[in-house]
Every structure is written in structure tokens, then in C-alpha cells.
Amino acid sequence: MSETTEARVLRVLRQYAEHLNPGWVRGFKFLGVETLEVEASGAIIRDAYGRDYLDFACGPAVFIVGHRHPRVVEAARRELDRMPLSVRIMPNESMGELAELLAEVTPGDLQYVFFCNSGAEANEGALKLARAATGRPGVVATIGAFHGKTLGALSVSGREQYRTPFAPLLPGVVHVPFGDAAALAAALTPQTGAVILEPIQGENGVVVPPDGYLRAVRALCDRAGALLILDEVQTGMGRTGTMWACEREGAVPDILTASKGLGGGIAPVGAFIARPHLWTTLTQHPYMHTTTFGNRLGWAASIATIRVIQEEGLLPRATAIGDRLMAGLRTAAAASPGVVTGVRGRGCLVGVEFADPDVAFLVLAGMVQRRVLAFHGINRPEVIRFAPPLVATDAQVDRAVTAFSEALVEAQGLLGEMAAAAEARTTT
Ligand code: PLP
């Protein structure tokens, strides 16, 4: 007899609990996703019970052109059928073409690219390059930042809870408040080799800095002789309405890191790209910084993804989606004063901040019941992050807003009932 869907789900949850992490299983239960993701297309994910979910989380802001965009799938399939991984001792067309294309679509004179497999790896490489190029060990990072969880990337990330068990981390790193150019200026010393920050802090709950911040940071770095590393892992590839978020201020970094959307939702691809004079160490010693896998399939997907973003008008679409989404969320939030403390973002990167993280979680769970997915930033559980794909329709945006609005009302009702029950217990 074939296994029922319930039995399949239970088997997988047991495997997760016994061999991956029981904490994840608790999370699935709280959120109400005791099911299996099975297939996906565009902004829709289908589960093992055949139910469709609207994906406005996009994983952690990954699926920039939606799930399995046909042009991206086609490009990846071509490499799958020919040679998905590079042998590394011969050149290949996908890697060359993607490097040239990235140099073309990134600002200023960013020119040389190193490909890797994740955002953390991209930031590790950028930090190493900055050290080698400047000979200075110091790094200034920002409080609340998220740059990944390998040791180097964690050292410049800014949530103590994730850092403390792994101390001591990289020496010479100081953290300053994000968005505060004066604090950054005060932290720069002759030993500072690099400043690393996100143009908008994604995992810290979509924190948008004041206008002019990136330009001021650029000027401060120039004055101090420090390199500016902009982590566009989350904000890049069109998510905020320009191909890279730094374009909005015309601030050109010395090193830019990318990942997430870069693989087009088909494969993990990371990259750091730098100005040519910084590449000297890697040019003199071409095997100074290396990685095993040459992901031809992913690079082909990346090329197709950039073309899709450019040719299907997805940059203005990101802005239109974000404006419609934020307007809807603000209207919904206004009906619950004091519960939601802010709606902010740019393009398809939107955060809704709650006074109480438990309410944020209840709202997320209520949205899941209505088959709409969003998630909180990893460093700020009180902020729900919406990261819809740039191919979302207006109707899908409206569906997400309705789900949020209903879940918010329901969460408040639930909390009211719990408070009443608690009061009844104390008075009897
Ligand atoms: N940098 C930023 C801005 C991110 O948002 C993330 C992941 O959320 C990373 C780096 C780390 O990327 P990965 O998880 O692929 O290592």
C-alpha cells in the first residue's frame, strides 16, 4: 500500500527531528507548516497536500524572478545537459560571460569577480581581499548587521546572541550604529582596512538609513584610506528597484558582494567584485583564494536572471510592487494602532515592525493559515519581512495584504482572549 500524505509528512518530520534539528521541527509546528514543499512556479509554492501558498518570503529573499522562471530554467538546463560543473583547469563560457556582465551592471569601475557559493563566502573573500590590499587588519561594521555565519562573516555581523558562543571572533572589528555617519567617522583609525555594511539592513528588520548615508560613508572611507565593502547579498539583483541599492546614492564601493538572487532561484551562486587595483594579490598568486566548485549551471542561471531583470522591466516593477504592498500594509496597520510600530522598505524589501515579537509570530502563523508566506528577519524577530519576487502580480500583492490584515485582527483577538483568561485566573 502506498504511503499516505500524512505518513510522508510525519516520516520527514521524524527525520528532521532525529537527524537535522528538533528545534526546526518545533518552528514548523508553531508556524503551522507541518507539510512538505513539493513544487513551485512564479510566486506560488505547492505543498504535499496540493495546497498553493503565495511566496512573499522567497526563502530568505532569494527567488528574485520567482520560482523556476522559464528563461532561467532553460539556461540552467542547457548547462545541465552539457556540463553543469566546471573542471576548473579549462576555461568555460558561462564563467567568462557572467564576470563580464557583472562588471557591466555593477557601478563604477568594479571589474574583477570571484565566484563562490553563498553570501557568507562572498563576504569572507571580500574581507580577505581588503586585508591583503591595505595591509590593515581593522574593520568597522554596523550593529544589527547580517553578513553570514562563517567565522569571518560572523565577526562583522551584529547580533550578540549569534556571536557569543563562538568567541573570540576576528580581532580588530568594531561595531557602530547603522545609519550614523558621525559614529563611523569616530571609529575609523589608521588601522582600519575596511568598512563593511549593507545599503539597507535586511535581516535586522529592513532598516533603511537616512538619505546621503552611503555617500557620507564613501567620503569617510576615502579620507581614512579604508576600503568600502557593500554587502548587496540581499539588496542586490534589483530587489530594491535598482540593480544594486547603492546606485540610488551614486555611492560606488571598492568591493561589492552578491548572492541570494544572483543564482536566479535555481542554484546557489555568490560573488565578490572589486576595483582592478585591489586584485593585485590575487593576480600575483592566482591560487591565493580558491573554492572547489565551478557552478556552470548556476552561472548560466545568473546570466539569464540578469537578462530577465533587464528585459522584462523588473526594476520599475520592484518599485511598483513595493509601493502597493507598503500602502496596503500601512492601511492595515493603521487599524491596529500601537501594535504595528512601523512599515518601511524599498522596492521588494519591506519590513513591518511590531511592538511585541510574539504578535509578529502570531501574525506570521495566521498568514500561513491563509496560505501566504512571509518571515521575520533573523536578527529582529519583531519585524516581519516581505520579500516578494519581482514577478508578483498586483492581485498577488493584494492577496498578501488581505492575509496580513486578517491575521493581524485575529492575533489581536487571540491576545485579548488570553489576557482576559489570565485576568479571570487571578481574580478567582
Ligand atoms: N549578507 C546578507 C546581507 C544577508 O542577508 C545574508 C543572508 O541572509 C548573508 C550575507 C549570508 O548569506 P548566506 O546565508 O548565503 O551565507
Side-chain angles (χ1 to χ4, degrees):
M1 213 172 67
S2 69
E3 196 180 25
T4 64
T5 303
E6 284 82 359
R8 263 169 77 204
V9 172
L10 285 176
R11 170 172 51 81
V12 174
L13 289 176
R14 177 192 57 74
Q15 289 163 337
Y16 269 58
E18 292 178 6
H19 302 290
L20 288 157
N21 193 327
W24 292 351
V25 177
R26 279 197 301 277
F28 295 142
K29 284 187 179 162
F30 277 137
L31 201 57
V33 283
E34 289 169 280
T35 182
L36 307 173
E37 57 181 20
V38 171
E39 57 188 37
S41 173
I44 302 296
I45 297 174
R46 181 159 294 169
D47 79 353
Y49 296 97
R51 297 176 301 211
D52 283 349
Y53 294 75
L54 177 63
D55 185 9
F56 266 34
C58 279
V62 170
F63 299 89
I64 200 81
V65 293
H67 294 270
R68 297 193 306 115
H69 189 290
R71 287 174 63 186
V72 181
V73 169
E74 168 61 24
R77 185 167 289 142
R78 222 176 305 124
E79 286 298 60
L80 181 63
D81 288 342
R82 295 196 311 188
M83 188 172 178
L85 282 182
S86 163
V87 291
R88 290 302 213 183
I89 51 173
M90 276 184 224
N92 69 81
E93 285 181 298
S94 294
M95 191 182 203
E97 186 180 337
L98 179 58
E100 187 174 55
L101 186 56
L102 277 175
E104 195 182 300
V105 300
T106 48
D109 60 348
L110 294 172
Q111 180 182 337
Y112 279 99
V113 188
F114 181 90
F115 289 114
C116 52
N117 310 283
S118 71
E121 245 187 287
N123 287 324
E124 291 289 336
L127 290 167
K128 282 178 66 184
L129 183 64
R131 268 199 182 181
T134 63
R136 301 178 183 184
V139 181
V140 181
T142 58
I143 297 166
F146 190 83
H147 298 293
K149 287 188 176 152
T150 51
L151 272 182
L154 186 63
S155 302
V156 291
S157 292
R159 187 178 185 195
E160 281 314 313
Q161 182 181 329
Y162 293 134
R163 295 160 48 87
T164 309
F166 308 104
L169 296 173
L170 271 190
V173 177
V174 293
H175 285 84
V176 296
F178 181 68
D180 183 343
L184 175 64
L188 291 168
T189 74
Q191 285 306 303
T192 308
V195 171
I196 182 166
L197 47 85
E198 302 153 84
I200 294 174
Q201 287 188 331
E203 296 299 329
N204 197 31
V206 191
V207 182
V208 183
D211 277 345
Y213 176 62
L214 292 185
R215 264 200 312 278
V217 171
R218 175 70 273 178
L220 288 169
C221 287
D222 287 343
R223 203 177 317 148
L227 300 180
L228 174 58
I229 302 170
L230 284 184
D231 177 345
E232 294 253 18
V233 165
Q234 186 156 159
T235 50
M237 295 295 287
R239 180 151 294 286
T240 69
T242 46
M243 189 61 91
W244 310 99
C246 62
E247 285 170 37
R248 188 167 170 273
E249 289 201 8
V252 180
D254 298 292
I255 309 173
L256 181 148
T257 62
S259 189
K260 293 199 187 275
L262 183 58
I266 298 287
V269 179
F272 61 93
I273 175 162
R275 302 173 70 190
H277 68 281
L278 301 177
W279 221 246
T280 319
T281 310
L282 303 187
T283 310
Q284 284 167 352
H285 309 280
Y287 299 105
M288 181 69 83
H289 188 73
T290 56
T291 181
T292 294
F293 293 112
N295 189 352
R296 291 175 45 139
L297 183 151
W299 300 330
S302 300
I303 296 165
T305 305
I306 293 170
R307 297 288 182 223
V308 165
I309 292 169
Q310 290 173 326
E311 291 164 19
E312 297 187 5
L314 295 188
L315 297 177
R317 184 65 198 144
T319 302
I321 290 170
D323 289 350
R324 189 179 183 95
L325 180 61
M326 280 189 277
L329 294 171
R330 283 192 181 115
T331 305
S336 307
V339 178
V340 174
T341 53
V343 176
R344 55 182 178 249
R346 188 176 301 148
C348 284
L349 187 59
V350 171
V352 181
E353 182 157 355
F354 287 76
D356 178 348
D358 290 343
V359 183
F361 205 81
L362 277 179
V363 172
L364 277 179
M367 288 173 62
V368 167
Q369 274 180 10
R370 290 164 178 81
R371 313 263 178 268
V372 175
L373 304 181
F375 206 60
H376 60 75
I378 207 161
N379 283 354
R380 281 285 279 283
E382 67 272 34
V383 180
I384 293 182
R385 180 185 54 200
F386 290 82
L390 277 50
V391 295
T393 62
D394 285 353
Q396 288 171 333
V397 172
D398 296 346
R399 181 178 158 198
V401 169
T402 303
F404 172 83
S405 177
E406 291 176 3
L408 181 58
V409 171
E410 189 176 74
Q412 280 178 281
L414 216 61
L415 286 172
E417 282 171 27
M418 281 161 62
E423 196 174 315
R425 273 199 304 277
T426 54
T427 51
T428 52

